[in-house]
Amino acid sequence: MPGADPGSFADFYSLQFSRIATQIYAYLGDHAEAQDIAQEAFVRAFDRWAVVSAYDEPFAWVRRVAWNLATSRMRRVKVTLGYLSRQREEHTPEPSPDRVALIQALAKLPDKHRLAVVLHYLANMTTAEIAKQESVADGTVRSWLSRGRAQLAGCFEESQEEVAHHG
Amino acid sequence: MARTSIEDRLADLSEWAAPTFRPAELAEVARRARRGRTRRRALVTAAIAVLACLPAVVFAVLAAGRNNTQPIIEPTSPPVSSAPAVTTFRVTLPGEPVSKHPPSLSFVDRQHVWMLDGSCPDAQTCRIRLLATADGGRTWRQAGYPQIPGGGGGAIVTFLDANTIVVYIPHLAIWLSTDGGQTYTRHEFKQAPLLARLADNGAFALKCPNLTGYGQAQDGGVADCDRQQLVKTGVGPTEHQPPWRGPDAHIDEIGRDGRLWLVDGTRIAYSPDEGKTWHQVPEKSGKLRLSASGEQVGLWAADGELYRLSGDRWVMERRPPGWKLERMQGVLLDDGSWLMSDYDSAGYLIDGVYSPIPEVGAKATPVKQLADGTLVLSHFDSATGRPGFFMGTGQGRARQWTLVIY
């Protein structure tokens, strides 16, 4: 890997791994799958670290790769989890009922609405940044976000007043 | 869990989930990366072996089937130079570097490029170096940047052309320069000129009425609406409005032939007369790709395939077996070929045949096509650690390539 700096990759990797994995978890609702996808994205980043580390935002590159992988896997009807993934899953602490309810509510959202909610609220991306990543208009992302959030709010019986305030 | 709002519930989920993920050891990451490289090399070797054997197989088949008629073998695609010459310019930029990361580039056309080098260690202490070139990157001048109270963190900078710059600071104001960054004027969101309020990547866009141009509710505009308006940058709403103006509708791209393309979910239509009349094409979900002339219309479909509009139907593009598009990007060229690129290579795809451009593709990021048809790929020179960009001028696959390293 000529030109790469494994030291800086190690820092980047240890700091950012759980951040990416958490976003993918919220999107897919599958802990083991999120772990695998984040791992694959960072393997690809390591392989190209000489180039990726020079980008304005290496994190954005890894996030993009991870989301592409997640979207690609979403398309597949059958998702095969590897042996190691199942092993990891056994050691994962169970989420509380509230968190399970949130994951289930997220899973009910249309893919694009869920994507907008996760990228905006968990990845702290602006609607303009999401629009650029998804190659759509800013208004489209705002619509996805507004609808996704409203649907989530409905699941948790938030008052319409509160939705309007936050929206 | 006392939290009740959606934001708090998501934050709680994030806080809980983050420590539950355990990244593999670095050695394991390195091993998997090596394994991936080995697999790719094996595939390339196998492909070369197949290609090397192909002439012999073809000859054997032709010889076996030879009769009185000479076979006519038509090429599936015009010949493409596999190693085009690249003219390289190594330039020194004026001023001191600000960020440790490569600056971001905004291409107006083959001559005019903006370079933004910025660093904001915190929102109050932003340092910005703005550079411009008028000769394709061979020489650069330093342009001015507005003095923004509070540091200017979170700025969104839009370059409308070689002279017009819009600096938007959320919750604060808009700064506009029409003289290439020599002077700036400050405007409140609602009082800003339409040119600045409607600043966008294209000449036309669908926007919610009364928006500041960026759709931030905090800035006094309407954040969301059920019915958008077609607006012309710097002019305002057009007299005729398109048939679909719902919240998901948008103007996807504008080809050089002047047609506007309207996309609303799976519905696609175009207007040849700036929105007066609209013509619907077959429905398909995906991202439009137009050649510079606008005559070639492609689609990167939601199903992950490439399509081309042929008459009144979408025809799927052939591609090499096993070829994965998921991490590639591409543009459609005027000759009907696609320039495809990922982070390892770039090449042309036509009639299902992929022809790499080794000198251009190495260490190149996904490609852009400018309104004048010029192709641009970002580059990182691993030998010197300096960034740069490739620029391909010409038409179709007949290109003259330059590489600017800075």
Side-chain angles (χ1 to χ4, degrees):
Chain A
M1 199 169 57
D5 179 356
S8 75
F9 176 82
D11 293 342
F12 174 74
Y13 177 52
S14 63
L15 283 172
Q16 306 292 2
F17 182 87
S18 60
R19 202 173 150 200
I20 295 270
T22 300
Q23 292 166 20
I24 300 298
Y25 173 47
Y27 182 63
L28 293 179
D30 187 316
H31 192 279
E33 190 78 354
Q35 168 90 25
D36 281 355
I37 285 174
Q39 197 65 71
E40 175 62 23
F42 277 94
V43 166
R44 293 186 186 186
F46 180 85
D47 199 24
R48 299 161 178 79
W49 189 239
V51 176
V52 174
S53 62
Y55 292 155
D56 230 10
E57 294 183 73
F59 178 77
W61 186 91
V62 181
R63 181 178 61 209
R64 182 67 185 261
V65 170
W67 277 85
N68 284 348
L69 289 169
T71 308
S72 174
R73 290 195 193 191
M74 282 283 287
R75 288 196 204 108
R76 298 174 195 163
V77 178
K78 292 180 181 178
V79 177
T80 305
L81 296 177
Y83 172 76
L84 286 173
S85 304
R86 288 196 295 273
Q87 290 301 302
R88 278 196 296 273
E89 198 172 33
E90 288 174 7
H91 298 293
T92 303
E94 287 296 320
S96 66
D98 277 349
R99 291 169 188 141
V100 170
L102 178 57
I103 289 290
Q104 288 173 343
L106 281 166
K108 288 177 187 168
L109 299 183
D111 290 352
K112 292 296 186 187
H113 298 181
R114 187 167 62 254
L115 176 144
V117 167
V118 172
L119 286 179
H120 186 68
Y121 290 115
L122 294 187
N124 296 319
M125 290 172 70
T126 65
T127 55
E129 289 169 336
I130 300 169
K132 188 177 177 187
Q133 174 176 306
E134 295 300 307
S135 298
V136 296
D138 191 33
T140 303
V141 175
R142 279 184 279 115
S143 170
W144 291 345
L145 191 58
S146 172
R147 292 176 187 188
R149 199 193 175 290
Q151 195 174 333
L152 278 181
C155 291
F156 292 102
E157 298 180 348
E158 279 190 354
S159 70
Q160 286 304 307
E161 189 178 328
E162 191 179 1
V163 173
H165 175 76
H166 287 287
Chain B
M1 192 173 66
R3 292 162 162 170
T4 53
S5 78
I6 294 303
E7 288 84 351
D8 285 346
R9 285 176 188 276
L10 287 163
D12 172 78
L13 179 71
S14 179
E15 285 169 20
W16 169 81
T20 67
F21 290 104
R22 288 183 287 278
E25 294 292 327
L26 202 53
E28 168 67 10
V29 174
R31 191 184 64 77
R32 284 181 60 175
R34 275 198 305 275
R35 197 170 60 196
R37 282 199 294 272
T38 305
R39 193 182 304 131
R40 287 197 298 273
R41 282 197 198 105
L43 284 172
V44 171
T45 306
I48 290 170
V50 168
L51 288 173
C53 294
L54 202 56
V57 173
V58 170
F59 179 78
V61 169
L62 291 176
R66 183 171 292 154
N67 52 32
N68 292 335
T69 310
Q70 288 294 318
I72 299 171
I73 304 173
E74 292 181 347
T76 55
S77 61
V80 176
S81 169
S82 59
V86 177
T87 308
T88 301
F89 299 93
R90 296 178 193 279
V91 300
T92 303
L93 301 176
E96 290 297 315
V98 169
S99 171
K100 63 180 180 180
H101 299 301
S104 60
L105 300 171
S106 183
F107 293 86
V108 176
D109 53 39
R110 72 183 65 177
Q111 301 292 342
H112 298 92
V113 187
W114 292 98
M115 181 184 291
L116 188 65
D117 177 23
S119 173
C120 292
D122 56 68
Q124 282 76 44
T125 55
C126 286
R127 293 172 58 217
I128 304 288
R129 181 176 60 151
L130 183 59
L131 304 172
T133 177
D135 56 10
R138 292 161 182 75
T139 58
W140 294 82
R141 70 173 174 89
Q142 193 149 7
Y145 190 79
Q147 292 292 325
I148 297 170
I156 299 171
V157 185
T158 306
F159 302 100
L160 296 183
D161 53 40
N163 292 310
T164 312
I165 308 164
V166 179
V167 180
Y168 165 88
I169 308 290
H171 313 290
L172 190 59
I174 293 176
W175 277 260
L176 171 66
S177 173
T178 55
D179 55 10
Q182 293 181 48
T183 58
Y184 286 84
T185 49
R186 174 184 165 146
H187 305 272
E188 301 306 314
F189 294 115
K190 284 185 177 175
Q191 281 78 44
L194 277 171
L195 179 71
R197 289 164 57 194
L198 300 175
D200 211 308
N201 293 326
F204 288 85
L206 276 173
K207 290 183 178 291
C208 287
N210 302 322
L211 274 184
T212 61
Y214 291 92
Q216 303 292 332
Q218 303 92 323
D219 303 333
V222 179
D224 203 359
C225 60
D226 293 330
R227 202 164 172 77
Q228 302 184 85
Q229 281 185 341
L230 179 66
V231 296
K232 187 171 185 178
T233 301
V235 176
T238 56
E239 183 183 351
H240 298 89
Q241 290 293 316
W244 315 315
R245 293 192 279 149
D248 290 339
H250 62 276
I251 300 295
D252 202 307
E253 284 185 52
I254 302 172
R256 209 167 48 188
D257 65 348
R259 286 188 292 182
L260 307 183
W261 287 81
L262 173 67
V263 179
D264 184 19
T266 60
R267 298 185 296 183
I268 304 171
Y270 69 88
S271 170
D273 46 17
E274 298 201 343
K276 291 189 182 74
T277 60
W278 292 89
H279 307 267
Q280 195 164 354
V281 302
E283 293 195 2
K284 197 86 185 163
S285 176
K287 299 167 189 171
L288 272 183
R289 292 285 183 270
L290 306 179
S291 65
S293 69
E295 291 177 1
Q296 299 281 343
V297 181
L299 189 83
W300 200 297
D303 61 10
E305 297 288 347
L306 295 175
Y307 291 83
R308 178 195 306 276
L309 189 60
S310 176
D312 59 353
R313 66 193 184 101
W314 292 103
V315 179
M316 188 190 294
E317 291 282 8
R318 290 188 295 133
R319 55 176 162 158
W323 215 53
K324 292 186 177 178
L325 288 168
E326 64 187 32
R327 83 192 172 92
M328 303 194 87
Q329 293 203 7
V331 296
L332 187 55
L333 307 183
D334 283 336
D335 65 357
S337 62
W338 294 78
L339 177 61
M340 308 293 296
S341 75
D342 61 7
Y343 293 90
D344 292 326
S345 69
Y348 297 113
L349 175 68
I350 187 164
D351 293 338
V353 178
Y354 180 70
S355 308
I357 320 172
E359 289 182 35
V360 171
K363 307 294 185 196
T365 58
V367 68
K368 284 182 220 170
Q369 184 166 219
L370 310 183
D372 64 3
T374 302
L375 298 170
V376 178
L377 296 95
S378 296
H379 172 74
F380 177 76
D381 187 31
S382 55
T384 61
R386 294 169 68 183
F389 61 85
F390 285 101
M391 192 177 267
T393 56
Q395 286 200 325
R397 287 162 292 161
R399 296 274 164 180
Q400 290 186 321
W401 290 94
T402 56
L403 170 60
V404 177
I405 295 175
Y406 47 88

